[in-house]
Amino acid sequence: MQFGRYFEEFEVGAIYKHWPGKTVTEYDDHLFCLLTMNHHPLHLDAHYAETQTEFKKNVVVGNYIYSLLLGMSVPDVSGKAIANLEVESLRHVAPTFHGDTVYGETTVLDKRESGSKPDRGVVHVETRGYKQDGTLVCVFRRKVMVPKIPSETL
């Protein structure tokens, strides 16, 4: 079982479908909100959400969805990472609700060898998250520094 990839194993244009998906529970959402001190009633107060918002129910906090997708991508993308260098963009496209199942996939956009260290490279990827009905909910792009295959194993 492979966990992560070396620089040479990434191909521009490759798409990695992350498995399994995750059904988001009310508990998951509330715990994440409490751990991160986000007490917005849209996420925690069912009565508020029902009477004061367009959604009429609690919306899962977006940073949980981002974190979930980032975690899903680790075995395929950053499992061997030396460093996560940057998240260059993050868009929450549609709301996620308690009971929705989130699935993720990552596309390799670009890769380049390190200019200062010959044993590594930088991979540029875009990860997308979808609900069970195919609705796009979150998109982010990041750059990850990964090692090259060690020369003694070639």
mmCIF file of all heavy atoms in Angstrom, residues 7 30 36 42 44-47 56 91 107 114 123 150 152:
data_model
loop_
_atom_site.group_PDB
_atom_site.id
_atom_site.type_symbol
_atom_site.label_atom_id
_atom_site.label_comp_id
_atom_site.label_asym_id
_atom_site.label_seq_id
_atom_site.Cartn_x
_atom_site.Cartn_y
_atom_site.Cartn_z
ATOM 1 N N PHE A 7 8.237 12.779 -6.052
ATOM 2 C CA PHE A 7 8.129 13.790 -7.099
ATOM 3 C C PHE A 7 7.935 13.159 -8.483
ATOM 4 O O PHE A 7 7.073 13.563 -9.254
ATOM 5 C CB PHE A 7 9.367 14.692 -7.075
ATOM 6 C CG PHE A 7 9.377 15.739 -8.133
ATOM 7 C CD1 PHE A 7 8.563 16.861 -8.017
ATOM 8 C CD2 PHE A 7 10.187 15.627 -9.249
ATOM 9 C CE1 PHE A 7 8.560 17.845 -9.001
ATOM 10 C CE2 PHE A 7 10.194 16.604 -10.230
ATOM 11 C CZ PHE A 7 9.378 17.716 -10.105
ATOM 12 N N HIS A 30 -20.242 20.290 15.171
ATOM 13 C CA HIS A 30 -20.238 21.003 16.450
ATOM 14 C C HIS A 30 -18.891 20.879 17.149
ATOM 15 O O HIS A 30 -18.382 21.855 17.708
ATOM 16 C CB HIS A 30 -21.354 20.503 17.344
ATOM 17 C CG HIS A 30 -22.710 20.946 16.890
ATOM 18 N ND1 HIS A 30 -23.821 20.821 17.662
ATOM 19 C CD2 HIS A 30 -23.134 21.513 15.730
ATOM 20 C CE1 HIS A 30 -24.870 21.304 17.018
ATOM 21 N NE2 HIS A 30 -24.471 21.705 15.830
ATOM 22 N N THR A 36 -12.391 25.022 17.484
ATOM 23 C CA THR A 36 -11.793 26.188 16.825
ATOM 24 C C THR A 36 -12.413 27.503 17.291
ATOM 25 O O THR A 36 -12.090 28.559 16.751
ATOM 26 C CB THR A 36 -11.919 26.063 15.295
ATOM 27 O OG1 THR A 36 -13.305 25.945 14.944
ATOM 28 C CG2 THR A 36 -11.144 24.851 14.780
ATOM 29 N N LEU A 42 -25.176 29.961 12.996
ATOM 30 C CA LEU A 42 -25.498 29.261 11.746
ATOM 31 C C LEU A 42 -25.068 27.802 11.821
ATOM 32 O O LEU A 42 -25.705 26.925 11.238
ATOM 33 C CB LEU A 42 -24.811 29.953 10.559
ATOM 34 C CG LEU A 42 -24.932 29.268 9.202
ATOM 35 C CD1 LEU A 42 -26.389 29.218 8.735
ATOM 36 C CD2 LEU A 42 -24.074 29.980 8.173
ATOM 37 N N LEU A 44 -24.314 26.140 14.946
ATOM 38 C CA LEU A 44 -24.577 25.488 16.229
ATOM 39 C C LEU A 44 -26.016 25.550 16.730
ATOM 40 O O LEU A 44 -26.403 24.763 17.579
ATOM 41 C CB LEU A 44 -23.673 26.115 17.318
ATOM 42 C CG LEU A 44 -22.174 25.989 17.097
ATOM 43 C CD1 LEU A 44 -21.429 26.791 18.140
ATOM 44 C CD2 LEU A 44 -21.758 24.532 17.134
ATOM 45 N N ASP A 45 -26.784 26.482 16.236
ATOM 46 C CA ASP A 45 -28.114 26.744 16.794
ATOM 47 C C ASP A 45 -29.177 26.424 15.738
ATOM 48 O O ASP A 45 -29.393 27.199 14.800
ATOM 49 C CB ASP A 45 -28.176 28.215 17.226
ATOM 50 C CG ASP A 45 -29.468 28.622 17.895
ATOM 51 O OD1 ASP A 45 -30.534 28.048 17.585
ATOM 52 O OD2 ASP A 45 -29.415 29.569 18.702
ATOM 53 N N ALA A 46 -29.843 25.285 15.891
ATOM 54 C CA ALA A 46 -30.828 24.838 14.893
ATOM 55 C C ALA A 46 -31.990 25.812 14.779
ATOM 56 O O ALA A 46 -32.474 26.075 13.663
ATOM 57 C CB ALA A 46 -31.326 23.438 15.238
ATOM 58 N N HIS A 47 -32.457 26.360 15.902
ATOM 59 C CA HIS A 47 -33.574 27.306 15.863
ATOM 60 C C HIS A 47 -33.175 28.571 15.097
ATOM 61 O O HIS A 47 -33.937 29.062 14.251
ATOM 62 C CB HIS A 47 -34.035 27.657 17.281
ATOM 63 C CG HIS A 47 -35.125 28.686 17.314
ATOM 64 N ND1 HIS A 47 -36.415 28.409 16.915
ATOM 65 C CD2 HIS A 47 -35.099 29.987 17.658
ATOM 66 C CE1 HIS A 47 -37.141 29.502 17.023
ATOM 67 N NE2 HIS A 47 -36.366 30.480 17.477
ATOM 68 N N LYS A 56 -32.455 27.448 6.310
ATOM 69 C CA LYS A 56 -33.458 26.840 7.198
ATOM 70 C C LYS A 56 -32.945 25.642 7.992
ATOM 71 O O LYS A 56 -33.718 24.895 8.580
ATOM 72 C CB LYS A 56 -34.727 26.432 6.434
ATOM 73 C CG LYS A 56 -35.367 27.573 5.668
ATOM 74 C CD LYS A 56 -35.817 28.660 6.605
ATOM 75 C CE LYS A 56 -36.495 29.794 5.830
ATOM 76 N NZ LYS A 56 -36.456 31.041 6.570
ATOM 77 N N ARG A 91 -12.026 28.224 -2.077
ATOM 78 C CA ARG A 91 -13.380 28.714 -2.359
ATOM 79 C C ARG A 91 -14.399 27.719 -1.821
ATOM 80 O O ARG A 91 -14.298 26.526 -2.081
ATOM 81 C CB ARG A 91 -13.610 28.877 -3.865
ATOM 82 C CG ARG A 91 -12.814 29.994 -4.491
ATOM 83 C CD ARG A 91 -13.159 30.218 -5.965
ATOM 84 N NE ARG A 91 -13.006 29.005 -6.758
ATOM 85 C CZ ARG A 91 -13.968 28.454 -7.500
ATOM 86 N NH1 ARG A 91 -15.157 28.997 -7.590
ATOM 87 N NH2 ARG A 91 -13.738 27.359 -8.196
ATOM 88 N N THR A 107 -6.373 17.111 -8.743
ATOM 89 C CA THR A 107 -5.717 17.140 -10.051
ATOM 90 C C THR A 107 -4.336 17.754 -9.899
ATOM 91 O O THR A 107 -4.181 18.792 -9.239
ATOM 92 C CB THR A 107 -6.537 17.986 -11.054
ATOM 93 O OG1 THR A 107 -7.839 17.413 -11.185
ATOM 94 C CG2 THR A 107 -5.868 18.038 -12.420
ATOM 95 N N SER A 114 13.069 21.497 -7.391
ATOM 96 C CA SER A 114 13.536 22.562 -6.507
ATOM 97 C C SER A 114 14.742 23.244 -7.129
ATOM 98 O O SER A 114 15.610 22.584 -7.701
ATOM 99 C CB SER A 114 13.917 21.975 -5.140
ATOM 100 O OG SER A 114 14.576 22.937 -4.359
ATOM 101 N N VAL A 123 5.048 20.292 -6.115
ATOM 102 C CA VAL A 123 3.888 19.856 -6.878
ATOM 103 C C VAL A 123 2.740 20.809 -6.581
ATOM 104 O O VAL A 123 2.460 21.127 -5.421
ATOM 105 C CB VAL A 123 3.508 18.405 -6.521
ATOM 106 C CG1 VAL A 123 2.313 17.952 -7.329
ATOM 107 C CG2 VAL A 123 4.686 17.477 -6.752
ATOM 108 N N PRO A 150 14.786 8.329 -3.673
ATOM 109 C CA PRO A 150 16.202 8.274 -3.266
ATOM 110 C C PRO A 150 17.037 7.531 -4.299
ATOM 111 O O PRO A 150 16.633 6.485 -4.796
ATOM 112 C CB PRO A 150 16.152 7.537 -1.924
ATOM 113 C CG PRO A 150 14.744 7.691 -1.440
ATOM 114 C CD PRO A 150 13.902 7.774 -2.671
ATOM 115 N N GLU A 152 19.601 5.709 -4.068
ATOM 116 C CA GLU A 152 20.025 4.352 -3.711
ATOM 117 C C GLU A 152 18.934 3.313 -4.000
ATOM 118 O O GLU A 152 19.223 2.123 -4.016
ATOM 119 C CB GLU A 152 20.470 4.246 -2.251
ATOM 120 C CG GLU A 152 19.416 4.567 -1.214
ATOM 121 C CD GLU A 152 19.324 6.047 -0.852
ATOM 122 O OE1 GLU A 152 20.025 6.879 -1.444
ATOM 123 O OE2 GLU A 152 18.546 6.358 0.042
#
